[in-house]
């Protein structure tokens, strides 16, 4: 069995060695331009079209939870990957806990008003602020996938009202669920904190615009852990300036790295991290990929199969 591997920036050796340890009978190599030798599986991040085009692969594994880069390439170059070749993504492999950590830190910080106190510290101002009411500090999560459900589960311990919106109906214990465009306004109306964990699809591109943000309660907080393409950044800034949003924590952006000239960098009510809310953990990812390949070879279907029409 032959596996080809490609990542535009990672050191390949730990991945090649790690996969050989997990699948000793398999041959794995780093793909290089001009390599057209046969392969059965591919492990990739941002693969060039020529790497996959024309290959009779049994499966392609993306080294991340999102596959929007590959699907975007396929819209321009449909010949890159035949419809019959299954595409898999990492559903968790350690990323869920990282998302939980990030979301809990932000939610608790906003609930306890730590950012407000930090601003007062800069002014040497000793002024206790009114406490927020836990019973009305409703957390709304956009997206009911593996990561969305995981974040909701981790927030349950704090006693906040929890709600979730997804494209289709879902049932989540202890969470008020909404679905479809018809129920989006009701979902937003009481979400004091909005957490974006939606997949990147054509339908979610620029979804979070001025009208969307205006449907939130005034003074709401916004956390984007999903994709920068979901947010119209000019509208986000306007909502912060008007007070419609009290704060935002942003890990992803329309253009990455975020340009130095972006006003988001210096906004006093914005926290920025460089798209590292949840990073791919190599050992966990290789465990999943090795297990998935073994399952496929045994005629079983592993988790993580991407529906190309839905985009996740």
């Amino acid at each position: 069995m032959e596996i080809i591997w490609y990542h535009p920036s990672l050191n390949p050796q730990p991945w090649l060695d790690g996969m050989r340890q997990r699948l000793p009978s398999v041959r794995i190599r780093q793909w290089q331009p001009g390599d057209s030798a046969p392969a059965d599986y591919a492990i990739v991040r941002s693969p060039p079209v020529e790497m996959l085009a024309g290959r009779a692969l049994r499966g392609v594994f993306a080294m991340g939870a999102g596959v929007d880069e590959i699907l975007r390439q396929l819209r321009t170059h449909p010949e890159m990957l035949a419809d019959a070749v299954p595409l898999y993504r990492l559903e968790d492999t350690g990323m869920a806990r990282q998302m939980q950590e990030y979301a809990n830190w932000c939610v608790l910080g906003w609930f306890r008003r730590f950012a407000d106190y930090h601003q007062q510290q800069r002014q040497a101002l000793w002024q206790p602020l009114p406490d927020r009411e836990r019973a009305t500090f409703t957390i709304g999560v956009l997206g009911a996938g593996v990561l969305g459900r995981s974040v909701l589960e981790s927030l349950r311990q704090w006693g906040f009202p929890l709600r979730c919106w997804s494209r289709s109906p879902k049932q989540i214990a202890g969470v008020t669920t909404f679905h479809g465009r018809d129920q989006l306004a009701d979902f937003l109306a009481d979400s004091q904190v909005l957490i974006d964990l939606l997949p990147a699809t054509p339908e979610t591109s620029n979804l979070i615009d001025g009208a969307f943000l205006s449907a939130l309660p005034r003074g709401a907080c916004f956390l984007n852990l999903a994709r920068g393409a979901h947010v119209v950044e000019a509208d986000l800034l306007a909502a912060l300036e008007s007070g419609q949003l009290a704060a935002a924590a942003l890990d992803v952006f329309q253009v990455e790295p975020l340009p130095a000239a972006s006003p988001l960098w210096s906004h006093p009510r914005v926290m920025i991290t460089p798209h590292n809310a949840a990073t791919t953990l190599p050992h966990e990812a290789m465990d999943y990929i090795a297990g998935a390949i073994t399952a496929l070879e045994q005629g079983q279907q592993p988790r993580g199969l991407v529906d190309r029409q839905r985009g996740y």
Side-chain angles (χ1 to χ4, degrees), residues 24 71-72 91 98 127 170 182 188 190 199 211 217 267 271 274 292 311:
L71 296 180
R72 188 162 50 246
E91 286 191 337
Q98 296 175 75
Q127 179 61 58
K170 300 291 189 301
D182 291 346
L188 294 171
D190 290 319
H267 199 286
M271 186 190 79

Side-chain angles (χ1 to χ4, degrees), residues 179-296:
H179 69 275
R181 286 280 185 167
D182 291 346
Q183 296 184 14
L184 183 57
D186 289 338
F187 162 79
L188 294 171
D190 290 319
S191 294
Q192 296 292 332
V193 173
L194 180 67
I195 302 175
D196 179 17
L197 281 165
L198 288 170
T201 68
E203 291 76 21
T204 60
S205 180
N206 294 320
L207 173 69
I208 303 174
D209 58 10
F212 190 101
L213 295 170
S214 67
L216 293 166
R218 184 168 179 80
C221 301
F222 174 59
L223 168 57
N224 192 358
L225 297 173
R227 285 291 186 268
H230 295 170
V231 180
V232 179
E233 291 175 0
D235 291 358
L236 174 66
L237 280 162
L240 286 161
E241 289 301 314
S242 71
Q244 174 61 19
L245 286 182
L250 309 172
D251 184 58
V252 288
F253 303 89
Q254 287 274 1
V255 176
E256 295 182 1
L258 182 64
S262 172
L264 290 168
W265 280 113
S266 58
H267 199 286
R269 292 191 296 281
V270 173
M271 186 190 79
I272 287 172
T273 50
H275 201 149
N276 65 346
T279 59
T280 299
L281 303 178
H283 292 293
E284 289 82 347
M286 286 188 281
D287 286 344
Y288 158 72
I289 294 171
I293 289 174
T294 300
L296 286 167

Side-chain angles (χ1 to χ4, degrees), residues 6-46:
Y6 176 84
H7 192 290
S9 59
L10 284 184
N11 176 9
Q13 207 58 50
W15 281 82
L16 301 181
D17 293 342
M19 290 302 297
R20 288 174 184 137
Q21 290 170 6
R22 289 164 173 81
L23 297 171
S25 64
V26 169
R27 292 180 295 275
I28 181 170
R29 67 185 185 272
Q30 180 186 13
W31 181 85
Q32 303 279 4
D35 177 355
S36 59
D40 301 292
Y41 296 96
I43 303 171
V44 299
R45 177 64 187 268
S46 303

Side-chain angles (χ1 to χ4, degrees), residues 33-309:
D35 177 355
S36 59
D40 301 292
Y41 296 96
I43 303 171
V44 299
R45 177 64 187 268
S46 303
V49 172
E50 63 173 304
M51 177 186 179
L52 302 180
R55 291 186 182 274
L57 294 166
R58 300 181 205 166
V60 174
F61 294 89
M63 286 185 274
V67 290
D68 42 299
E69 291 179 342
I70 295 175
L71 296 180
R72 188 162 50 246
Q73 286 177 294
L74 280 171
R75 286 193 287 273
T76 307
H77 301 282
E79 75 281 4
M80 184 176 82
L81 196 61
D83 291 342
V85 178
L87 173 63
Y88 298 89
R89 65 186 182 93
L90 304 181
E91 286 191 337
D92 184 354
T93 62
M95 287 182 284
R97 174 164 288 189
Q98 296 175 75
M99 290 291 192
Q100 290 175 345
E101 293 165 348
Y102 200 122
N104 277 261
W105 188 86
C106 288
V107 168
L108 293 175
W110 287 327
F111 178 65
R112 293 296 304 274
R113 308 193 67 167
F114 292 147
D116 295 330
Y117 284 121
H118 185 59
Q119 292 296 325
Q120 289 188 175
Q121 177 186 336
R122 294 180 175 180
Q123 304 169 53
L125 180 61
W126 184 283
Q127 179 61 58
L129 298 169
D131 293 335
R132 299 188 189 276
E133 294 184 17
R134 188 179 304 272
T136 60
F137 198 70
T138 302
I139 315 301
V141 173
L142 286 164
V146 171
L147 297 180
R149 287 172 179 261
S150 175
V151 165
L152 284 163
E153 179 62 31
S154 71
L155 288 168
R156 184 175 297 153
Q157 63 184 310
W158 304 109
F160 301 120
L162 301 175
R163 52 178 47 200
C164 180
W165 181 88
S166 56
R167 190 172 75 166
S168 57
K170 300 291 189 301
Q171 295 294 323
I172 306 173
V175 177
T176 303
T177 57
F178 301 79
H179 69 275
R181 286 280 185 167
D182 291 346
Q183 296 184 14
L184 183 57
D186 289 338
F187 162 79
L188 294 171
D190 290 319
S191 294
Q192 296 292 332
V193 173
L194 180 67
I195 302 175
D196 179 17
L197 281 165
L198 288 170
T201 68
E203 291 76 21
T204 60
S205 180
N206 294 320
L207 173 69
I208 303 174
D209 58 10
F212 190 101
L213 295 170
S214 67
L216 293 166
R218 184 168 179 80
C221 301
F222 174 59
L223 168 57
N224 192 358
L225 297 173
R227 285 291 186 268
H230 295 170
V231 180
V232 179
E233 291 175 0
D235 291 358
L236 174 66
L237 280 162
L240 286 161
E241 289 301 314
S242 71
Q244 174 61 19
L245 286 182
L250 309 172
D251 184 58
V252 288
F253 303 89
Q254 287 274 1
V255 176
E256 295 182 1
L258 182 64
S262 172
L264 290 168
W265 280 113
S266 58
H267 199 286
R269 292 191 296 281
V270 173
M271 186 190 79
I272 287 172
T273 50
H275 201 149
N276 65 346
T279 59
T280 299
L281 303 178
H283 292 293
E284 289 82 347
M286 286 188 281
D287 286 344
Y288 158 72
I289 294 171
I293 289 174
T294 300
L296 286 167
E297 290 297 301
Q298 295 173 351
Q300 302 167 10
Q301 182 61 260
R303 71 184 192 278
L305 179 65
V306 173
D307 182 327
R308 297 195 201 179
Q309 297 302 313

